[in-house]
Amino acid sequence: MLERFRGFWTRLLSPVARFLIRRGVSPDAVTLVGTLGVCAGALVFFPQGHLLAGVLFITAFVFSDLIDGFMARETGRTSKFGAFLDSTLDRIGDGAIFGGLAFYWAGPGDSDLYLVLSLVCLVMGSVTSYARARAEGLGYQAKVGIAERSDRLVSILVMTGLGALLGLPILQQVTLWALAAASTVTVVQRIWVVRQQAMAEHDAAAGGA
């Protein structure tokens, strides 16, 4: 997975990052261009039924998520705003991918069921991220669950690409079912974990009163 092999991919892409640094490109600009590329690939290629081309196009821009972070560290330009921008644009890119798949199933794919599943993945993926961010904003921890962002992203892109290459749409279909279920379970897990922390905090406060 992208997250689990972050070190490997960062070393592999570091020459690209250093080239961009020498050209005076900012990490935030790379973040923005990467997101625009992901959105273009998902919302232009997928709705027309060009799934493999869309996956390849998106993959070329997905790695900007590693390049911008390396550039920020290398130049000492890490900032809270950069982290905020990166996380925000990541969610836009993720939404575009599942939104593009929803358009595909509403058009060339011609399936109301997988249209709905794509939308479930889009919504629950966003809620998964929001639940963690909101929990941390309240002072709790919610980094739990069976469907982290990198897992969702890699699995849907790989299976969509393979399905298109091999003529096996069932690969993407099974992945949509799995991600819809896993994302929903992850949201429930995070709600439960935060509830446990909130109850423990309440009990501690009540016991000390």
Side-chain angles (χ1 to χ4, degrees), residues 77-96:
R77 297 173 67 177
T78 57
S79 66
K80 290 183 178 179
F81 173 74
F84 166 79
L85 180 67
D86 187 59
S87 295
T88 301
L89 295 184
D90 279 349
R91 301 307 169 277
I92 293 175
D94 295 353

Side-chain angles (χ1 to χ4, degrees), residues 139-198:
Y140 302 125
Q141 293 296 317
K143 193 177 181 180
V144 297
I146 59 175
E148 292 287 342
R149 175 183 179 262
S150 58
D151 299 328
R152 299 193 304 269
L153 184 64
V154 172
S155 59
I156 194 61
L157 289 178
V158 169
M159 290 304 152
T160 296
L162 283 177
L165 182 64
L166 302 175
L168 295 173
I170 192 173
L171 294 178
Q172 185 198 133
Q173 294 166 357
V174 169
T175 303
L176 286 173
W177 277 106
L179 291 181
S183 297
T184 302
V185 170
T186 297
V187 170
V188 173
Q189 287 178 302
R190 293 186 172 183
I191 291 173
W192 176 257
V193 165
V194 172
R195 180 177 183 273
Q196 294 297 99
Q197 293 174 69

Side-chain angles (χ1 to χ4, degrees), residues 6-93:
R6 179 173 288 271
F8 167 77
W9 288 112
T10 298
R11 288 192 297 273
L12 187 66
L13 296 170
S14 60
V16 176
R18 291 192 175 97
F19 172 80
L20 293 174
I21 291 171
R22 290 195 297 271
R23 294 297 179 274
V25 179
S26 72
D28 289 347
V30 172
T31 302
L32 181 60
V33 170
T35 301
L36 291 175
V38 169
C39 291
L43 298 176
V44 172
F45 289 102
F46 286 172
Q48 298 182 65
H50 305 312
L51 298 181
L52 181 58
V55 167
L56 294 176
F57 190 90
I58 291 168
T59 301
F61 287 93
V62 160
F63 289 106
S64 67
D65 194 42
L66 299 177
I67 294 174
D68 59 6
F70 178 86
M71 290 174 64
R73 292 189 298 273
E74 192 79 357
T75 59
R77 297 173 67 177
T78 57
S79 66
K80 290 183 178 179
F81 173 74
F84 166 79
L85 180 67
D86 187 59
S87 295
T88 301
L89 295 184
D90 279 349
R91 301 307 169 277
I92 293 175

